Amino acid sequence: MLDILRRIVQDINATRNLGEALNVVVAEVKAALHTDVCSVYMTDHARGEHVLMASDGLRPGAVGKVRLKIGQGLTGLAASRVEPVNVENAPAHPAFRYIAATGEAPFHGFIGVPIIRRRKVLGVLVAQQREQRKYTADEESFLVTLAAQLAGCINQTEIRQALDRLDGDALSGTLFLEGVASARGLAIGEAVVVFPSAALERVPDKDIDDVDAEASRFRQAVAAELAELQRLSERMRLLLSAGDRALFDAYALLLSSDSLVNGTLERIYTGNWAPGALRATVLEYANIFTEMDDPYLRERAADILDLGQRLLNRLHEEQTVDRQYPDNAVLMGEEISVSQLLDVPPEKLKGLVSVRGTGASHVALLARGLGVPAVFGVSNLPPGRLNGREVVVDGYTVRVCIQPSPALRQEYLKLITEEAELSQGLQHLRDLPAETLDGHGLALHANSGLFADIAAARNSGVRGVGLYRSELHFFLRDRFPGEEEQTTLYTRVLRIMDPHPVVLRTLDIGGDKPLPYFPISEQNPYLGWRGIRISLDQPDLFKTQLRAMLRAGSHYANLSILLPMIGSVMELREALALLDSARAELEAEGLVVRMPRLGIMVEVPSAVYQIDALIRLVDFASIGSNDLTQYLLAVDRNNDRVAKLYDPLHPAVLAAIRQVVERVRAVGKPVSVCGEMAGDPAGALLLTAMGVDSLSMNLGSLLKIKWLIRSIRYEAAQALLDEVLILDSAAAIRDCANAFLDQHGLGGLLRIGK
Ligand code: PEP
Ligand code: MG
């Protein structure tokens, strides 16, 4: 069964639209179960109907005609119960309805399995048998597994069809797509779709206009790959036996054969772009080989897939060179990587939209740092169809609007102007302290990591950088930057901010931030080799960075060093020992080292419980609420499937933060928060009430949070904190905090529009 499942899924991936995909499913399931009928009903929630969308076994005319009211019949029962309905003698079941539109005598054996995606019923997969038949438990599991797989495909294709309709409508129609998380703000721009150099199977389809140019692009990639294979084969002549080298010849043969190349070209000529055409062709041929009896030939499927991937990489390579961006680019993709984002000139980047990712992913942080609105987790976004279209990124309602109508466009432009006016209206706060109405003050600092944002921070009157993510600089290189290069960089950062404090964080790579030139492939990257763990295991890299920081700090007195991901006292001691040895080396070289203030990030739960022991060894603590939330709640900050569970206002996270703030302040040391929570209005409100010494956030939020702090009374915020700490859910706490902000005339921080 597993083989059949795998094959069906591959076949679905090779199809171009929902109709094709469903026809493949019904035909293959019917054959696999040796049953008389297999059908798929899609649920049209707006009309309250289950519509027969594909069938193998019912009369051809029935498709599109058979419509059941939601909940009607055994099919409706499977949907409303959200579980399989498996009935040996359907007409005897009380929920049975005879459906005249099929024009068939009743079937007896019936099994219906709901197709569900993220708690929503999309349709029902049904198999029927003329005679009485109880489908076996194995058959039921097979259908349940397939329905789960199908759910992923349907969502995408459904939207593609909506877009097809839009295309017919002279680009005047509008489509709204919901995301799960965002970076606040509003932007209108032109969609620029980026693709990961991803697995071949995940390459989407994309319509193209100039098929000849695309065909010639593909031919060039094939020619280049052939030349490369010949070169490799030549080079290996002395190293490999003729038998081993046969692989290259086999690849070259595959490339010269008609099937793979012509199959792809044919698909290109139907209007698909080369990577999509290549994916469909390669999967089709790989499937043929997978089904062969001869084990040797079966193995060739892997070669075909491998060759397909090589060709895909080649196509991508040539595409990413010197990419031109429009002036109002909205970057879109299944997943957007940090380096793809950094590739766009900041002045041209207006927004970000992705299928995957969440508000706490590093791309989201960067977007906020650059003041760019973003919407993440738009699961039914069809990026391949959107390139060049006008889109609105609405980070307030967490929606994307594709092709806004003229009236809607006007409305959005008005809101964008109002948003700019709000920011403009806050400029007078620039040089005023962040102090509550009853005189409680705290420091507001900026998060940074790029030159663009540090210079902007300085120009906006910011009085310090509370978190400098040093790894961002490492992303812009094709190798680790050396000591001189880093020293120059850190000196520049300290000079720009002098005399205000700058907290340089040591390298925090791993997790969702692998460097292109230092790939880390792990099953569970957030629980793996990350942050300080890498630094301690690669003391060469770590010491180079520490030496560079100390050298920069010898010229300027405003340096603090922050260690990420500290999870134990032992780790901290090891890091301190390396810092000490870097200092000793520099002193031996004649440098007068001025020791910076040293801090730890509290972002791993163990650090919360060991805070007393840890804080003794350092000068300050900075709470990384992004990671602390992910680790305390066991919610991957990058995974949109669980993004709804990710909220730093969760009572457990608030309790942990409060404990750290109290303990650190009890020993007279400062504590700050540098996660995204600090720039979130409700989060900043509660953190202020807890008594943190400083908040560090993206530049775009800074004046807004200052406005908030200057509009409230500390005592009232503390009373609110007491009130919310007894609530048992993040949603209730957020509602309560937002109501407080509304009461204080701060609704403009939560939504846009007057
Ligand atoms: C955090 O985890 O809150 C943090 C500030 O670090 P980063 O987001 O860079 O992991
Ligand atoms: Mg972190």
Side-chain angles (χ1 to χ4, degrees), residues 288-307:
I288 296 174
F289 279 88
T290 311
E291 280 165 27
M292 292 190 175
D293 291 334
D294 182 314
Y296 174 81
L297 289 177
R298 262 209 311 273
E299 279 296 304
R300 302 285 64 80
D303 293 344
I304 292 174
L305 289 170
D306 190 32
L307 185 62

Side-chain angles (χ1 to χ4, degrees), residues 309-373:
Q309 186 68 51
R310 291 179 65 98
L311 281 171
L312 178 71
N313 295 347
R314 209 163 268 287
L315 285 166
H316 275 315
E317 243 169 50
E318 146 231 331
Q319 202 193 18
T320 47
V321 172
D322 285 342
R323 187 166 188 156
Q324 298 297 318
Y325 296 93
D327 288 343
N328 55 349
V330 172
L331 218 51
M332 282 198 168
E334 286 277 327
E335 199 163 5
I336 295 172
S337 69
V338 169
S339 41
Q340 278 169 335
L341 188 153
L342 294 178
D343 193 48
V344 190
E347 70 284 359
K348 294 190 169 186
L349 183 65
K350 296 292 176 261
L352 217 67
V353 179
S354 73
V355 175
R356 273 186 283 281
T358 68
S361 61
H362 282 97
V363 170
L365 308 192
L366 258 178
R368 285 195 200 102
L370 295 169
V372 171

Side-chain angles (χ1 to χ4, degrees), residues 360 362 365 447 467 469 471 505 508 513 530 601 603 623-628 637 674-676:
H362 282 97
L365 308 192
N447 287 352
L467 171 65
R469 290 185 166 99
E471 60 276 5
R505 181 172 73 182
D508 185 16
K513 292 181 289 189
R530 248 205 95 176
M601 290 205 67
E603 52 184 347
I623 299 172
S625 55
N626 304 338
D627 278 314
L628 190 57
R637 61 195 264 192
C674 63
E676 289 305 285

Side-chain angles (χ1 to χ4, degrees), residues 538-617:
Q538 299 284 155
D540 47 340
L541 296 178
F542 191 40
K543 268 176 67 181
T544 302
Q545 186 172 40
L546 291 173
R547 282 173 57 100
M549 288 181 175
L550 292 179
R551 281 174 62 187
S554 68
H555 302 296
Y556 294 93
N558 55 346
L559 170 67
S560 298
I561 293 181
L562 183 62
L563 303 170
M565 291 285 294
I566 292 290
S568 70
V569 174
M570 183 56 99
E571 270 174 351
L572 178 54
R573 284 193 200 286
E574 283 171 11
L576 290 175
L578 286 168
L579 179 64
D580 207 43
S581 104
R583 179 190 54 81
E585 280 170 22
L586 288 170
E587 280 174 352
E589 289 163 27
L591 189 83
V592 181
V593 176
R594 184 199 330 249
M595 276 315 268
R597 290 171 356 114
L598 188 73
I600 49 159
M601 290 205 67
V602 179
E603 52 184 347
V604 177
S606 56
V608 173
Y609 295 101
Q610 281 208 293
I611 190 64
D612 295 335
L614 292 168
I615 197 68
R616 248 181 257 133
L617 301 174

Side-chain angles (χ1 to χ4, degrees), residues 31-304:
L33 295 189
H34 305 291
T35 191
D36 293 327
V37 179
C38 178
S39 313
V40 175
Y41 290 80
M42 298 298 304
T43 305
D44 182 341
H45 288 276
R47 293 200 180 156
E49 289 175 341
H50 304 292
V51 185
L52 182 66
M53 292 286 283
S55 180
D56 190 338
L58 293 180
R59 286 191 188 162
V63 168
K65 281 218 188 79
V66 177
R67 287 166 184 266
L68 308 168
K69 289 260 158 301
I70 279 193
Q72 195 183 30
L74 291 169
T75 301
L77 187 67
S80 59
R81 275 202 194 154
V82 286
E83 63 182 10
V85 170
N86 185 355
V87 180
E88 187 172 0
N89 182 11
H93 192 283
F96 176 79
R97 285 277 180 296
Y98 174 65
I99 303 156
T102 61
E104 309 266 1
F107 288 87
H108 288 81
F110 174 96
I111 182 163
V113 174
I115 303 167
I116 300 173
R117 186 181 164 97
R118 310 243 173 116
R119 304 183 184 199
K120 187 169 178 187
V121 174
L122 303 178
V124 184
L125 176 62
V126 172
Q128 289 169 288
Q129 184 82 21
R130 189 147 311 273
E131 304 78 35
Q132 293 195 9
R133 168 175 177 179
K134 177 89 175 167
Y135 291 89
T136 64
D138 269 357
E139 288 166 338
E140 186 173 316
S141 319
F142 167 76
L143 290 175
V144 168
T145 315
L146 186 63
Q149 300 263 15
L150 200 53
C153 315
I154 285 177
N155 217 328
Q156 294 287 329
T157 29
E158 231 178 2
I159 300 299
R160 264 181 236 160
Q161 290 201 325
L163 280 164
D164 285 340
R165 284 199 294 277
L166 283 180
D167 283 343
D169 197 10
L171 299 180
S172 63
T174 297
L175 180 71
F176 281 99
L177 300 174
E178 310 263 334
V180 293
S182 69
R184 285 211 178 100
L186 205 52
I188 299 190
E190 178 182 330
V192 176
V193 177
V194 291
F195 295 98
S197 52
L200 182 71
E201 307 89 77
R202 284 188 24 212
V203 170
D205 291 323
K206 182 171 132 182
D207 289 345
I208 43 153
D209 295 328
D210 191 348
V211 288
D212 290 327
E214 193 68 1
S216 111
R217 185 165 91 91
F218 177 66
R219 283 203 186 92
Q220 276 167 18
V222 172
E225 186 57 32
L226 259 175
E228 172 71 5
L229 288 172
Q230 268 148 15
R231 204 179 56 78
L232 279 177
S233 174
E234 269 313 301
R235 208 171 64 196
M236 296 295 158
R237 191 172 291 279
L238 297 175
L239 301 173
L240 296 179
S241 69
D244 290 341
R245 272 188 290 120
L247 179 68
F248 296 112
D249 300 336
Y251 277 17
L253 207 66
L254 278 169
L255 271 184
S256 322
S257 76
D258 274 359
S259 34
L260 213 59
V261 175
N262 284 351
T264 306
L265 285 170
E266 268 167 30
R267 285 182 162 96
I268 292 175
Y269 282 114
T270 66
N272 200 0
W273 73 322
L278 177 70
R279 183 214 67 233
T281 313
V282 166
L283 292 184
E284 185 183 280
Y285 282 98
N287 279 353
I288 296 174
F289 279 88
T290 311
E291 280 165 27
M292 292 190 175
D293 291 334
D294 182 314
Y296 174 81
L297 289 177
R298 262 209 311 273
E299 279 296 304
R300 302 285 64 80
D303 293 344
I304 292 174

Side-chain angles (χ1 to χ4, degrees), residues 312-456:
L312 178 71
N313 295 347
R314 209 163 268 287
L315 285 166
H316 275 315
E317 243 169 50
E318 146 231 331
Q319 202 193 18
T320 47
V321 172
D322 285 342
R323 187 166 188 156
Q324 298 297 318
Y325 296 93
D327 288 343
N328 55 349
V330 172
L331 218 51
M332 282 198 168
E334 286 277 327
E335 199 163 5
I336 295 172
S337 69
V338 169
S339 41
Q340 278 169 335
L341 188 153
L342 294 178
D343 193 48
V344 190
E347 70 284 359
K348 294 190 169 186
L349 183 65
K350 296 292 176 261
L352 217 67
V353 179
S354 73
V355 175
R356 273 186 283 281
T358 68
S361 61
H362 282 97
V363 170
L365 308 192
L366 258 178
R368 285 195 200 102
L370 295 169
V372 171
V375 176
F376 302 99
V378 188
S379 59
N380 46 13
L381 182 81
R385 304 293 311 273
L386 296 178
N387 204 41
R389 290 177 198 252
E390 183 169 66
V391 290
V392 178
V393 186
D394 184 345
Y396 290 96
T397 59
V398 198
R399 286 197 307 181
V400 186
C401 170
I402 291 156
Q403 297 175 179
S405 64
L408 210 54
R409 187 170 194 280
Q410 227 21 62
E411 187 57 29
Y412 276 121
L413 286 174
K414 192 169 133 245
L415 291 174
I416 289 172
T417 313
E418 282 175 15
E419 193 190 37
E421 281 168 6
L422 172 68
S423 302
Q424 200 54 41
L426 296 177
Q427 286 305 319
H428 70 282
L429 301 177
R430 224 186 95 129
D431 298 318
L432 297 177
E435 195 175 280
T436 60
L437 296 170
D438 48 353
H440 174 82
L442 62 156
L444 296 189
H445 293 150
N447 287 352
S448 169
L450 299 171
F451 270 131
D453 60 14
I454 198 146

